[in-house]
Amino acid sequence: MYTLSNRLKLVSLILIIVGAGLWGTGYYSSHHVTLDNVKTMLAEEASHGSHGDSHATITDTHEVEAHVNTDAHGEEASHAEADAHHGDEHAEHVMHQIHNRPYSALYVAAFFFMMIALGALAFYAIQFAAQAGWSPLLFRVMEGITYYVLPGALIVVAIAVWAGDHIFIWMDPEMVNPESDKFDKLVAGKSAWLNTTGFVIRALVFIGGWSLYRFFARKFSLAQDQAPEGDRSNFKKSFRIAAAFLVFFIYTESMMSWDWIMSVDPHWFSTLFGWYVFAGMMVCAVTVMAMITIYLKSKGLLQQVNDSHIHDLAKFMFGFSIFWTYLWFSQFMLIWYSNIPEEVTYFVTRIEDYNLPFFGMIAMNFLFPLLLLMNSDYKRIPWFVIMAGVVILAGHYIDIFNMIMPATVGDRWFIGMPEIGAILLFAGLFMFIVFYAISKQPLIAKGNPFIKESEHFHY
Amino acid sequence: MEASKVIHAIYNDDDVLMNAVKKVKAAKHQIEEIYTPFPVHGLDKAMGLAPTRLAICAFLYGCVGLTVAVLMMNFIMIEDWPQDIGGKPSFSYLENMPAFVPIMFELTVFFAAHLMVITFYLRSKMWPFKKAENPDPRTTDDHFLMELPIHNNEVELQSLLSQTGAVEINVVDKAH
């Protein structure tokens, strides 16, 4: 039985307060940026020689967007004219980007921690549906992590609705109003799916379904502990709902990824996006499982967990990292290869404005785990798994960052106060909720029919 | 020096075999070879065999495959004849790399897999028309055979092996 220590409570409280403080400062300072501030800032950037380059890129990307309307890309004269014409518009554009940043920073961090819990829920259901013999010892850890699904997902949706068109431009009613000069035909064409009411209803259905499974899975798991010898009815129920949940999950996860992530770029779509997001969440979930298991074992609480269990978790970290890379590359390469303008802008902005995070995350999410976790002996060494896990988690945070930020703040990104603040805030919340849930029940699901096998698991 | 006389202890159960191996190891007798019809889990550990290094070989072979792929495509597509094929940028390897990744991947796997298998054949001395080294054909069906060299301790070995549940103990002269 694990008891939530006061130190852990204090650490998570400090993380929450410091994170909220940092994020709040970032929010406050960015919201005091007015159009005049932006104009002075842009003028300064233009006059500074060192900033000349970045300014050129800004106008360039801006031109790409304007290009659709003016079609004046090729000609030098009209290019300059368009530039002068767009001066005010440009400043406003930049001001919006600056305003969007704290919202996006909060959203990225909230989504990141939510997806860890959601991935853990899917992994947990897979263990039941596959009747895995190695993992029952870790079920209580997984159940603890999944406790964050409900609050975490509600927070993500709350932020999405609160931020509105700061993150999801299609939430601006002007975009679908044919009378307005903001009217966007493509967004209007998708408004049957992309509208705020539908967004909220779908989100509540997703969250309701996930939470319902989580509630009953936990209930049956605890009931199985109390069940008399030989009574497997609760386990059978767990098995059935796990199978049903997995069907529900793969549909809702896919739709969730369109709604919560892909729609930040409403002009762009990708068919394997849902899988891609799924792969990322599974890596993070397994990594967090391994980390918490190692932490609890280091406190002497999970003594039956041996290095074979750690080895298996690390193998999943390795495997899902490669699966993620496969999907990342498949998405990137197909779009890069065919180079269709309406699709490829997605990667053009990321490569031009997010070069380091975009390619850096490949090193963190692929090369690093590939080389570190390939050796069978290394997968058994706790500090090695923790080290690889920290890099994987950081890499997948950047992955989410790369999905959201280019659409909302463009080249005005930085990993500064609001981003780090939001990470700390949700890390504290996640830690507190997860360890609170783990402390509620004994750490071993002793009623599980596979628990003996798991205790003797040896690879 | 290989002993000219060996003793063959035959078992008909893998658990009995495992216990026998542990007993023989505890008595500090050398085990020359064990013949089994199927892999017995943990036998290599009980015998104290060194772990295989085949995986390390495979990793190195994979590196070779990757290098071959990169050098080959860099020479053909970038250096030798950098044609414009459908607008793909052939100015440098990096610019056109995504198009090469499928081949880089496949060649890595190809080299790692095939060279590792060939290494396995060479190390375990297996090839077509190789004469089978089977001391007793029953060991391919349902019997397990432990072979121990005799160094003037025939009686001692026989009594030890008969205690371990061997169904048959034969002394064989290997000298030809």
Side-chain angles (χ1 to χ4, degrees):
Chain A
M1 191 92 184
Y2 169 76
T3 39
L4 193 60
S5 66
N6 277 329
R7 212 173 58 183
L8 200 134
K9 275 185 209 160
L10 194 67
V11 168
S12 39
L13 194 68
I14 290 171
L15 282 176
I16 292 173
I17 290 169
V18 170
L22 278 177
W23 179 81
T25 321
Y27 179 78
Y28 185 79
S29 61
S30 83
H31 269 252
H32 281 259
V33 175
T34 61
L35 202 56
D36 289 333
N37 296 142
V38 174
K39 279 181 185 162
T40 351
M41 188 188 77
L42 288 175
E44 263 174 31
E45 279 180 9
S47 65
H48 278 42
S50 58
H51 286 280
D53 278 353
S54 66
H55 184 239
T57 3
I58 296 162
T59 26
D60 264 5
T61 34
H62 198 77
E63 234 10 74
V64 174
E65 286 159 28
H67 174 77
V68 184
N69 306 327
T70 58
D71 205 19
H73 196 64
E75 294 156 58
E76 281 299 313
S78 49
H79 187 95
E81 194 189 314
D83 218 24
H85 216 66
H86 283 284
D88 269 8
E89 229 171 84
H90 180 207
E92 207 186 313
H93 181 63
V94 172
M95 184 186 73
H96 283 308
Q97 292 183 328
I98 292 170
H99 285 183
N100 290 348
R101 193 176 145 200
Y103 293 101
S104 313
L106 197 66
Y107 188 73
V108 170
F111 187 89
F112 176 71
F113 284 98
M114 186 282 295
M115 86 174 188
I116 293 174
L118 187 58
L121 191 66
F123 191 79
Y124 178 74
I126 291 170
Q127 300 307 303
F128 270 102
Q131 306 200 355
W134 67 279
S135 53
L137 272 183
L138 309 173
F139 278 174
R140 286 291 142 80
V141 174
M142 295 185 202
E143 285 166 15
I145 299 172
T146 58
Y147 195 58
Y148 186 75
V149 169
L150 180 61
L154 285 177
I155 290 169
V156 170
V157 176
I159 294 171
V161 173
W162 172 61
D165 61 358
H166 282 291
I167 299 177
F168 302 97
I169 46 164
W170 54 265
M171 283 194 185
D172 183 355
E174 294 289 289
M175 286 202 81
V176 291
N177 175 11
E179 307 298 313
S180 168
D181 41 325
K182 277 190 181 172
F183 178 68
D184 187 313
K185 217 172 125 185
L186 293 176
V187 173
K190 295 182 184 182
S191 59
W193 180 275
L194 288 183
N195 57 74
T196 313
T197 325
F199 180 91
V200 172
I201 292 172
R202 283 192 302 274
L204 292 179
V205 171
F206 304 159
I207 298 171
W210 304 335
S211 307
L212 220 59
Y213 168 69
R214 200 269 164 196
F215 175 79
F216 283 107
R218 170 79 162 182
K219 192 181 148 193
F220 295 148
S221 174
L222 295 178
Q224 183 66 55
D225 277 8
Q226 308 304 326
E229 190 75 30
D231 177 11
R232 300 277 181 249
S233 59
N234 287 299
F235 176 76
K236 283 177 187 157
K237 282 187 225 158
S238 299
F239 173 78
R240 277 190 218 112
I241 57 167
F245 167 72
L246 285 171
V247 176
F248 176 79
F249 173 76
I250 207 62
Y251 281 103
T252 49
E253 187 275 337
S254 192
M255 283 190 261
M256 177 276 281
S257 76
W258 310 336
D259 267 7
W260 299 5
I261 298 186
M262 200 158 77
S263 76
V264 295
D265 288 292
H267 281 190
W268 182 80
F269 48 86
S270 161
T271 39
L272 60 69
F273 198 76
W275 280 108
Y276 171 62
V277 173
F278 169 75
M281 69 170 62
M282 290 303 267
V283 185
C284 294
V286 176
T287 305
V288 170
M289 265 173 230
M291 287 170 139
I292 293 181
T293 306
I294 289 170
Y295 169 73
L296 291 175
K297 189 170 157 59
S298 77
K299 303 201 93 183
L301 291 165
L302 278 173
Q303 282 177 345
Q304 280 137 320
V305 171
N306 55 39
D307 61 356
S308 291
H309 293 100
I310 307 294
H311 184 271
D312 257 33
L313 285 169
K315 234 178 342 191
F316 271 114
M317 283 160 68
F318 176 79
F320 278 127
S321 283
I322 289 171
F323 180 54
W324 174 88
T325 314
Y326 165 65
L327 291 172
W328 174 82
F329 182 72
S330 300
Q331 179 171 283
F332 171 71
M333 198 261 244
L334 285 179
I335 290 173
W336 172 86
Y337 207 106
S338 56
N339 205 19
I340 302 172
E342 70 227 43
E343 285 181 354
V344 88
T345 48
Y346 185 83
F347 287 111
V348 169
T349 51
R350 276 157 185 79
I351 290 173
E352 277 180 2
D353 301 335
Y354 289 74
N355 204 287
L356 183 65
F358 187 68
F359 291 111
M361 84 175 170
I362 309 306
M364 292 168 89
N365 293 343
F366 174 61
L367 285 181
F368 195 82
L370 177 83
L371 296 174
L372 248 69
L373 294 177
M374 195 184 304
N375 191 317
S376 184
D377 296 332
Y378 293 171
K379 287 198 273 266
R380 293 169 187 275
I381 305 172
W383 65 266
F384 227 92
V385 177
I386 296 276
M387 190 171 73
V390 168
V391 176
I392 290 173
L393 287 181
H396 282 279
Y397 170 78
I398 294 175
D399 183 22
I400 306 295
F401 187 85
N402 279 331
M403 292 182 195
I404 303 287
M405 287 296 183
T408 54
V409 305
D411 60 348
R412 296 276 151 190
W413 68 273
F414 191 70
I415 299 193
M417 271 204 303
E419 286 81 8
I420 293 172
I423 295 172
L424 296 182
L425 169 65
F426 285 107
L429 197 66
F430 182 83
M431 243 168 73
F432 181 77
I433 290 181
V434 167
F435 280 101
Y436 166 77
I438 291 176
S439 71
K440 292 288 274 181
Q441 294 292 337
L443 278 172
I444 307 295
K446 64 176 166 54
N448 191 290
F450 289 104
I451 199 78
K452 270 274 168 302
E453 184 179 339
S454 182
E455 278 165 14
H456 297 122
F457 174 66
H458 165 79
Y459 172 74
Chain B
M1 199 194 87
E2 204 182 331
S4 63
K5 272 177 119 184
V6 292
I7 196 159
H8 280 171
I10 295 176
Y11 301 86
N12 54 11
D13 187 275
D14 48 340
D15 285 336
V16 179
L17 173 77
M18 283 294 282
N19 286 328
V21 170
K22 280 172 196 157
K23 266 190 195 162
V24 171
K25 286 302 271 187
K28 299 239 187 306
H29 287 296
Q30 185 198 343
I31 299 175
E32 179 103 355
E33 190 64 91
I34 293 181
Y35 298 87
T36 63
F38 53 79
V40 178
H41 189 74
L43 186 60
D44 52 338
K45 280 218 177 71
M47 285 170 74
L49 297 182
T52 172
R53 288 167 296 180
L54 213 50
I56 299 169
C57 286
F59 178 77
L60 296 176
Y61 296 147
C63 294
V64 173
L66 185 64
T67 313
V68 167
V70 171
L71 291 179
M72 177 183 78
M73 284 182 295
N74 185 49
F75 177 72
I76 298 173
M77 302 302 289
I78 310 295
E79 282 174 10
D80 189 39
W81 198 342
Q83 270 196 107
D84 183 339
I85 303 167
K88 283 280 161 285
S90 51
F91 308 108
S92 74
Y93 190 79
L94 210 58
E95 269 180 295
N96 210 359
M97 206 205 49
F100 302 146
V101 166
I103 299 164
M104 286 156 68
F105 170 77
E106 292 295 349
L107 278 183
T108 307
V109 174
F110 179 87
F111 272 64
H114 288 84
L115 292 181
M116 175 177 72
V117 168
I118 292 169
T119 307
F120 169 72
Y121 286 154
L122 291 175
R123 289 289 291 150
S124 42
K125 301 194 178 71
M126 281 181 7
W127 56 84
F129 311 115
K130 149 114 184 180
K131 195 174 176 301
E133 295 167 356
N134 199 335
D136 190 322
R138 285 175 299 168
T139 60
T140 64
D141 183 15
D142 60 349
H143 282 67
F144 304 80
L145 188 150
M146 191 194 316
E147 183 177 293
L148 302 130
I150 297 171
H151 302 285
N152 303 320
N153 52 357
E154 192 180 324
V155 184
E156 189 196 340
L157 272 181
Q158 279 205 338
S159 69
L160 176 73
L161 289 171
S162 58
Q163 282 167 29
T164 59
V167 289
E168 203 177 307
I169 299 171
N170 305 321
V171 177
V172 182
D173 200 346
K174 264 192 152 180
H176 298 293

